Amino acid sequence: MCLVSGRGSNLQSLLNAFALPTSLAEIVGVVSNRPDAFALQRATIAQVDTVTVDHNRFPNREDFDAELASVVSEFKPDLVVLAGFMRILGHTFVDQYHNIFNIHPSLLPAFPGLDTHRRAIEAGVTHHGASVHYVTTALDAGPIIIQGRVPVLPDDNESRLAARVLDQEHRIYPTAIKWFAEGRLSIANDQVHVDGCPVQTLG
Ligand code: GRF
């Protein structure tokens, strides 16, 4: 199942990738922390159940996490996929689900946090990209599953670079979830292995 906060282009890539009844994975539900997230409309069009847990209704992070965990548990997911979910999850949530994936728009460990495209341009790096990783309570720091790399071009601005990275996001997220569904992922010493081989990071 997927957690979202905004426009939902990554959610759409997953809805497209796993649309068929014969698909390896099924998106059983979509939960948003924002009632106005466009991602909710995408899910509804795809006939996937949606729930909103508005974080503004909770006095603190723990209470929000507890309600979110309770809503998510109703769906009995094998995997929780953060697809543009813009809240940091604490122990209350993360300790209940061992399999949580996130996608982050940088070649982690480079540029955790926000404004990654602007920061990449300002840093003058030649390559940038996106990473799918397991979620821990440390921000954007869990074991990396797959990355997609793009060049940073001399005349790039933030939006051109973001669009190039987003194409990679839409390619690597379905791939990571297929690997999970096929049982090809394992973790040893905090490093993800695919088919028993350690993932080489690009950051
Ligand atoms: C993506 O760039 C994702 O990597 C980041 O937030 C953005 C969400 O975009 N976590 P969308 O809602 O999937 O279109």
Side-chain angles (χ1 to χ4, degrees), residues 86-146:
M86 302 305 284
R87 304 291 299 175
I88 295 171
L89 295 169
H91 281 288
T92 308
F93 188 93
V94 172
D95 292 353
Q96 285 191 45
Y97 296 97
H98 294 300
N99 293 308
I100 310 174
F101 287 5
N102 182 42
I103 190 157
H104 180 76
S106 80
L107 294 175
L108 291 170
F111 310 119
L114 298 174
D115 297 324
T116 58
H117 309 307
R118 179 178 58 70
R119 288 158 61 206
I121 290 171
E122 282 172 7
V125 293
T126 57
H127 287 84
H128 184 44
S131 309
V132 177
H133 63 94
Y134 278 93
V135 170
T136 64
T137 49
L139 178 68
D140 300 328
I144 292 167
I145 302 161
I146 185 172

Side-chain angles (χ1 to χ4, degrees), residues 9-81:
S9 73
N10 275 290
L11 173 68
Q12 190 67 58
S13 79
L14 302 179
L15 289 168
N16 296 347
F18 303 112
L20 298 176
T22 51
S23 298
L24 280 168
E26 180 192 2
I27 301 174
V28 292
V30 170
V31 178
S32 174
N33 66 305
R34 296 183 57 111
D36 59 349
F38 186 63
L40 289 169
Q41 294 185 41
R42 298 180 189 267
T44 302
I45 289 166
Q47 299 184 317
V48 173
D49 286 345
T50 64
V51 181
T52 297
V53 182
D54 185 346
H55 63 275
N56 290 312
R57 289 195 297 110
F58 298 85
N60 56 53
R61 192 187 301 283
E62 287 71 31
D63 287 5
F64 169 72
D65 278 11
E67 175 63 11
L68 188 66
S70 157
V71 166
V72 166
S73 73
E74 297 285 311
F75 289 93
K76 300 186 173 39
D78 297 313
L79 176 66
V80 176
V81 173

Side-chain angles (χ1 to χ4, degrees), residues 130-179:
S131 309
V132 177
H133 63 94
Y134 278 93
V135 170
T136 64
T137 49
L139 178 68
D140 300 328
I144 292 167
I145 302 161
I146 185 172
Q147 294 178 306
R149 179 158 59 180
V150 300
V152 180
L153 302 177
D155 61 344
D156 263 345
N157 59 28
E158 220 175 308
S159 66
R160 269 199 294 271
L161 182 56
R164 198 174 308 124
V165 170
L166 198 61
D167 275 349
Q168 290 297 310
E169 295 188 33
H170 298 163
R171 183 183 67 82
I172 63 177
Y173 222 176
T175 302
I177 291 164
K178 278 183 196 143
W179 286 348

